[in-house]
Amino acid sequence: MPLDGRWGRRDFLVATGIGALGVGLAGCGTGDAARPVTGADASVAAREERRRKTGAGHKVIDLVAGPYAFDLAGRVVETFAYGATVPGPEIRLRAGDELEVRFRNDLKTATTIHWHGLAIRNDMDGVPTMTQAPIKPGDAFTYRFIVPDPGTHWFHPHMGLDLDRGLYAALIVEDPAEPSDYDEDTVVMLDDWLDGIDGASPERTFSALRSGGGMSHDMAGMSSMSGSMSSMSDQGDVDYPLHLLNGRPPSDPSTIRVAPRGRTRLRIVNAGSDTLYRVAIGGHSLTVTHLDGFPIEPVIADAVVLGMGERVDVVVQASSGVWPIVAVAEGKNGAAVGFVRTTDSDATPPPSVGGRLAEHDKRVFSNADARATEAAALSRAKPDRQVTRALTGGMADYTWGIDGRTFGDHRPIDIREGERLRLVLRNDTTMVHPMHLHGHTFGLSGDRGARKDTVLIPPSKSVSLDLNADNPGQWMLHCHNTYHLEAGMATELRYVN
Ligand code: C2O
Ligand code: CU
């Protein structure tokens, strides 16, 4: 099934409450007459009611997605954006609040919004055909759900290759109860950019990847792509012409102003499509405090690496001056660049930045260093069941999948509410994949392993994820490389009755 939402009969199937996927695949899972739980199921509404807290707030936001002429340091490209800005307008609310987003699609193509990292009600999860009909051009849709957990999250479309455009924004859930160990906080959004540069587009990039070796220099409009696919590393397939920090290219960097010696929480989000970023700040160490929104026991590091979809929060105490914050593209050329400037250093000219900083190669944070805080840790009870899935595919025909199958032909992972599952993801490919699960967070292995929703699976390695089945519905499990997802590297965690 294409993920770009070509829409036909499934429209009808979803509208009648019969999960389109469930129909085609009944009997492939547990083998008995298991009935998939869809968004219309009473258990989804019941779960939502258990999230409701008395006295919680209700936040209403109007949001529009539309075409946008994006000015990249004087070079204007035609792209798509939320609220005519890249990144889109940040949404902030408090844990327990209900969010109501009155969304209108002014694009010429259908879209949906996925609220990445939030364990919300299934019918608001924004996956076309799985949880809702795509929102057609000119149509409106109201997303309404309770936001259960604090943390650094974000939102983006879940249609085709649109995530490799300007459609992304931060969704910050503040914790009214959190002991504040910082004075101010700010979001740092990283993104790899090609849309509109020398005629490039996500669709042309995908077809070049698909046609195998197609990323050649003589291909019209691809002249800015240095390096052929075969010379790319196992960390990315596309050599992007630009990397953006808070929507700005290195030639026109954004500046984060902070109080000298004040403690600033940087909420770093990798909104890229095919790039891992290694982030460091010149002359400073970082205190890593949260992964994918959930707190860990603080770890001091000099650099952090984020896969696509991942978030890392760090606290920095800036010395007086102007300091480069640099996100180098792992295994590629180029970097996203910004500056941290203390308010007493307005007259100081920014240093010239040559790319990689010494800090990038000092203490690099690893998930293995992380322990969830006692309050955030998931139960350490033994899982009821273990399921292993293999990540498969390669560059030859650019087919990426799970267990050799692409999405639409996938075998769902069936689960019952209340179960505790250990999911082992084994990477049988030569490339790293950031695997993301919707609607849940999982615990990494180890005593109080970090709690996350997206995790990098290195080539030839396995990662095991423990999760509690506490959010009924149909949920995507997929690679957060936009091009791998489009190629089919996705399956489904499917609650059944
Ligand atoms: Cu941020 Cu299904 O993804
Ligand atoms: Cu992948």
Side-chain angles (χ1 to χ4, degrees), residues 10 42 59 100 111 136-137 139 303 307 310 332 378-379 407 415 428 432 482:
R10 288 174 194 286
K59 182 154 198 151
E100 181 176 340
T111 193
K136 296 191 181 91
D139 278 5
E310 289 189 298
K332 300 182 179 184
L378 289 170
S379 140
F407 191 69
I415 195 167
D428 287 353
V432 66
T482 302

Coordinates of all heavy atoms in Angstrom, one line a residue, residues 10 42 59 100 111 136-137 139 303 307 310 332 378-379 407 415 428 432 482:
R10 N -10.4 2.4 0.6 CA -10.0 2.3 2.1 C -10.8 3.4 2.8 O -11.1 3.2 4.0 CB -8.5 2.5 2.2 CG -7.8 1.3 1.8 CD -6.3 1.6 1.9 NE -5.6 0.5 1.2 CZ -5.5 -0.7 1.6 NH1 -5.9 -1.0 2.8 NH2 -4.8 -1.6 0.9
A42 N -14.7 1.1 21.9 CA -15.0 1.7 23.2 C -13.8 1.8 24.1 O -13.6 2.7 24.9 CB -16.1 0.9 23.9
K59 N -6.4 23.6 25.7 CA -5.8 24.6 24.9 C -6.3 24.5 23.4 O -6.3 23.4 22.9 CB -4.2 24.4 24.9 CG -3.4 25.4 24.1 CD -2.0 25.5 24.7 CE -1.4 26.8 24.2 NZ -0.5 27.3 25.1
E100 N -6.6 21.0 21.6 CA -7.6 21.0 20.5 C -6.9 21.8 19.3 O -6.7 23.0 19.5 CB -8.9 21.6 20.9 CG -9.9 21.6 19.8 CD -11.3 22.2 20.3 OE1 -11.5 22.2 21.6 OE2 -12.1 22.6 19.5
T111 N -3.1 15.5 3.6 CA -2.2 15.4 4.6 C -2.8 14.9 5.9 O -4.0 14.7 6.0 CB -1.5 16.8 4.9 OG1 -0.3 16.6 5.7 CG2 -2.4 17.8 5.5
K136 N -8.2 16.1 3.0 CA -8.1 16.5 1.6 C -7.8 18.0 1.4 O -8.0 18.7 2.4 CB -9.4 16.1 0.8 CG -9.7 14.7 0.8 CD -10.8 14.4 -0.2 CE -11.1 12.9 -0.3 NZ -12.2 12.5 0.7
P137 N -7.3 18.4 0.3 CA -7.0 19.8 0.1 C -8.3 20.7 0.4 O -9.3 20.3 -0.1 CB -6.6 19.9 -1.4 CG -6.1 18.6 -1.7 CD -6.8 17.6 -0.9
D139 N -9.8 20.9 3.1 CA -10.6 20.4 4.2 C -10.0 20.8 5.6 O -8.8 21.1 5.7 CB -10.7 18.8 4.1 CG -11.8 18.4 3.2 OD1 -12.4 19.3 2.5 OD2 -12.0 17.2 3.1
A303 N 29.2 15.7 23.5 CA 28.4 15.7 22.3 C 27.3 14.6 22.4 O 27.5 13.7 23.2 CB 29.3 15.3 21.1
G307 N 19.3 10.4 16.1 CA 18.7 9.9 14.9 C 17.5 10.7 14.5 O 16.9 11.4 15.4
E310 N 14.4 11.5 17.0 CA 14.9 11.5 18.4 C 14.9 12.9 19.0 O 15.2 13.9 18.3 CB 16.2 10.8 18.6 CG 16.2 9.3 18.4 CD 17.5 8.7 18.8 OE1 18.5 9.0 18.2 OE2 17.5 7.8 19.7
K332 N 28.5 12.4 6.6 CA 28.2 13.2 5.4 C 29.0 14.4 5.5 O 29.6 14.7 6.6 CB 26.7 13.6 5.4 CG 25.7 12.5 5.3 CD 24.3 13.1 5.2 CE 23.3 12.0 5.1 NZ 21.9 12.5 4.9
L378 N 10.0 2.5 33.4 CA 8.9 1.5 33.2 C 9.1 0.4 34.1 O 10.2 0.1 34.6 CB 8.8 1.1 31.7 CG 8.4 2.2 30.7 CD1 8.6 1.7 29.3 CD2 6.9 2.5 30.9
S379 N 8.0 -0.4 34.3 CA 8.0 -1.6 35.2 C 9.2 -2.5 34.7 O 9.5 -2.6 33.5 CB 6.7 -2.3 35.1 OG 6.9 -3.7 35.1
F407 N 5.4 -2.4 3.9 CA 4.2 -2.1 4.5 C 3.0 -2.3 3.6 O 3.1 -1.9 2.4 CB 4.2 -0.6 5.0 CG 3.1 -0.2 5.9 CD1 3.0 -0.8 7.1 CD2 2.1 0.6 5.4 CE1 1.9 -0.4 8.0 CE2 1.0 0.9 6.2 CZ 0.9 0.4 7.5
I415 N -1.2 -7.8 19.8 CA -1.0 -7.7 21.2 C -2.3 -7.4 21.9 O -3.3 -6.9 21.3 CB 0.0 -6.5 21.5 CG1 0.5 -6.5 22.9 CG2 -0.6 -5.1 21.2 CD1 1.7 -5.6 23.2
D428 N 19.3 -6.5 10.0 CA 20.0 -7.4 9.0 C 20.6 -6.6 7.8 O 20.9 -7.2 6.8 CB 19.0 -8.4 8.5 CG 18.7 -9.5 9.5 OD1 19.4 -9.5 10.6 OD2 17.8 -10.4 9.3
V432 N 22.2 2.1 9.5 CA 21.5 2.3 10.8 C 20.1 2.8 10.5 O 19.8 3.5 9.5 CB 22.3 3.3 11.6 CG1 22.3 4.7 11.0 CG2 21.8 3.4 13.0
T482 N 12.7 9.1 6.3 CA 11.5 9.4 5.4 C 11.5 8.5 4.2 O 10.4 8.0 3.8 CB 11.5 10.9 5.0 OG1 11.4 11.7 6.2 CG2 10.2 11.2 4.2

